[in-house]
Amino acid sequence: MSTPISRRAVIRGGAALAGMAALGMPEWMLPALAQSEEVVPWTDIPANFNPSPATGLRTLDTRTIQRSTFITSAEDFFAVQHYPVPPVDPATYKLRLSGLVNKPLVFTLDELKRRPRMEQIVCFECSGNNPARLNMLTGNARWAGTSLNALLKDAGLKATAREVVFFGVDKSTEDIAHGAVQPQPYEQHFGRSLAVEDASKPEVMITWEMNGAPLPAKNGGPVRLIVPGWYGISNVKWLDHVHVQDSRFMGRFMARDYVQLMQTKMGDEVVWNETSVSRIRLKTMVARLARNGSRYTATGYALNDGTPLRSVEVRVDGGPWQPVIMDRGNTQYSWKLFTYDWTGVAPGDHTIVSRATDVNGTVQPEEADLQSKKTRWENNAQFTRKFKV
Ligand SMILES: Nc1nc2c(c(=O)[nH]1)N[C@H]1C(S)=C(S)[C@@H](COP(=O)(O)O)O[C@H]1N2
Ligand SMILES: [Mo]
């Protein structure tokens, strides 16, 4: 984590802090307001909350999420990386495809750009995101690039191909264990993999554009992988090497880090399992609350692996679950914005919480339902927001 935090990020961090500690935020720090609309501050945010605890981490102020910010600007898009941001010169950049293919391929950026273009709106979050951190590691952007599946087809996968490994230009020293022998240091590139079946899905893309502009270096430019519906970790930044092999890739970010430890009860038996962070678990949160006269509008988002949703509901002050209005601009892999309007809010302390149910009947869990999840990854708990009127 070595990228310096930009001045802007520092200012925004300060703004978030100021808003949390006191209500007297200067107007320029507040999200844009509709006429005579007033933002209602959350009271669930701890006074000492630090939105950017680690150097190089960029966060989204989730209180700004609304229709007008459906697409997160590149400037506001979060950033997480584990190694120093590598310098990659677009003029000399090459993407290499090697391993169990009939025809190994190499592309310059211009050659990639001559391939059939695809565009998709995709939202993802870091699997380390959680309500206590206000789910600030998220963003929704329009990505443009080309199909990975078509590229794999051109190379021709051999019958023994099982796994596609994606390496970034970024690298660092990893201490890797040798059984009883002391771990030894090895220089390793950032790597993540997908089973051939997942890598061949039509939505998986190799991208070089974000919101109509060249992909910024902080978000993996010149070229990154986007795996719609999967947690951030899968979207390998500074991608320069795709390698096809016949066995599972067990690199740090597949098998040692970003591993979920979970218990499942099967009757009387408890099954322990460790799984690699993969598809985004069903999540919603109410992000922003505004007041216009006596009318309150809560705006939130739902996010998952692309499985269609059956319902999104909110509950105010522990009352009945109420249906929300889903925005028309939502797409399969975007975040799905919703609003809920209501009146009759009496002076005092209040709560509002949201939850979603998908077409398979999966319901967003409550915090208490996540007891069996022993690691912090993939925290998709319902998030009860507090406010005072
Ligand atoms: N090459 C490379 N790709 C990477 C990472 C990294 O450290 N190196 N971090 C991953 C993680 S943990 C996340 S959450 C996302 C963040 O993407 P963003 O920085 O564009 O928001 O990138 C992923 N891709
Ligand atoms: Mo992440």
Side-chain angles (χ1 to χ4, degrees):
M1 307 249 186
S2 74
T3 341
I5 306 186
S6 74
R7 202 181 114 71
R8 184 194 133 270
V10 172
I11 291 168
R12 289 173 60 95
L17 275 178
M20 291 152 198
L23 309 182
M25 284 180 271
E27 199 184 8
W28 63 270
M29 282 184 173
L30 287 168
L33 294 175
Q35 208 133 47
S36 69
E37 197 187 59
E38 175 190 320
V39 167
V40 181
W42 297 117
T43 55
D44 55 63
I45 300 171
N48 61 353
F49 181 77
N50 178 2
S52 287
T55 314
L57 201 65
R58 292 275 296 264
T59 56
L60 175 71
D61 183 344
T62 46
R63 296 170 305 165
T64 63
I65 295 175
Q66 55 192 310
R67 228 167 252 156
S68 59
T69 57
F70 173 66
I71 297 289
T72 311
S73 69
E75 176 75 350
D76 284 340
F77 207 94
F78 82 106
V80 171
Q81 52 281 317
H82 301 273
Y83 302 151
V85 172
V88 188
D89 180 0
T92 55
Y93 169 84
K94 284 197 173 66
L95 176 69
R96 196 154 55 94
L97 210 156
S98 66
L100 296 174
V101 291
N102 296 322
K103 196 169 63 158
L105 298 172
V106 181
F107 297 93
T108 64
L109 186 54
D110 282 341
E111 286 165 346
L112 271 181
K113 286 181 177 173
R114 283 199 285 275
R115 296 184 63 83
R117 180 183 165 93
M118 66 187 279
E119 272 188 31
Q120 282 183 109
I121 298 173
V122 177
C123 174
F124 57 85
E125 66 168 354
C126 177
S127 46
N129 224 5
N130 62 67
R133 302 223 50 78
L134 306 179
N135 293 320
M136 282 180 153
L137 299 174
T138 190
N140 183 58
R142 179 185 290 276
W143 310 89
T146 196
S147 155
L148 172 70
N149 182 40
L151 214 127
L152 294 174
K153 278 202 175 127
D154 286 359
L157 294 182
K158 293 203 192 279
T160 48
R162 292 286 172 272
E163 186 104 333
V164 185
V165 193
F166 304 89
F167 290 106
V169 178
D170 51 334
K171 59 184 178 186
S172 188
T173 304
E174 292 290 345
D175 292 327
I176 299 175
H178 288 250
V181 181
Q182 281 291 331
Q184 298 295 307
Y186 299 96
E187 190 179 75
Q188 297 291 293
H189 283 267
F190 180 91
R192 274 283 299 191
S193 70
L194 292 171
V196 163
E197 189 194 356
D198 293 319
S200 305
K201 296 259 162 71
E203 65 271 18
V204 182
M205 43 188 327
I206 290 178
T207 65
W208 50 81
E209 243 181 66
M210 183 187 196
N211 300 338
L215 185 59
K218 86 178 206 318
N219 299 109
V223 173
R224 86 180 295 176
L225 184 71
I226 290 289
V227 188
W230 287 54
Y231 280 109
I233 187 77
S234 314
N235 300 321
V236 176
K237 307 203 275 188
W238 313 294
L239 175 72
D240 75 337
H241 186 190
V242 177
H243 184 76
V244 182
Q245 58 191 43
D246 62 3
S247 54
R248 303 291 302 275
F249 173 68
M250 301 294 278
R252 170 178 160 194
F253 300 100
M254 289 302 288
R256 300 198 295 284
D257 208 347
Y258 289 82
V259 172
Q260 176 73 277
L261 173 62
M262 207 153 167
Q263 293 175 298
T264 319
K265 276 223 173 73
M266 315 270 301
D268 295 339
E269 197 194 355
V270 172
V271 179
W272 283 93
N273 201 352
E274 286 177 87
T275 51
S276 191
V277 163
S278 59
R279 292 172 184 82
I280 300 173
R281 291 177 189 264
L282 179 60
K283 165 182 250 175
T284 67
M285 97 179 245
V286 177
R288 182 177 188 269
L289 183 60
R291 188 176 77 90
N292 196 335
S294 60
R295 200 185 84 236
Y296 284 73
T297 302
T299 304
Y301 71 88
L303 182 61
N304 73 344
D305 62 359
T307 304
L309 301 180
R310 184 186 290 163
S311 67
V312 178
E313 303 159 295
V314 304
R315 157 189 247 177
V316 176
D317 296 333
W321 288 101
Q322 304 284 353
V324 301
I325 294 171
M326 302 304 291
D327 263 28
R328 290 229 193 106
N330 298 334
T331 61
Q332 185 179 9
Y333 295 112
S334 74
W335 55 21
K336 286 143 203 44
L337 297 190
F338 62 83
T339 53
Y340 178 71
D341 281 340
W342 82 110
T343 54
V345 181
D349 289 315
H350 298 277
T351 62
I352 182 167
V353 61
S354 58
R355 71 170 184 195
T357 306
D358 72 16
V359 292
N360 300 326
T362 304
V363 184
Q364 182 185 0
E366 291 177 39
E367 214 174 299
D369 300 331
L370 295 179
Q371 298 280 310
S372 61
K373 188 175 83 62
K374 301 301 176 189
T375 43
R376 68 188 177 91
W377 309 113
E378 308 174 326
N379 187 334
N380 62 333
Q382 291 176 24
F383 185 9
T384 301
R385 309 306 313 260
K386 295 183 183 153
F387 62 99
K388 195 187 183 84
V389 170

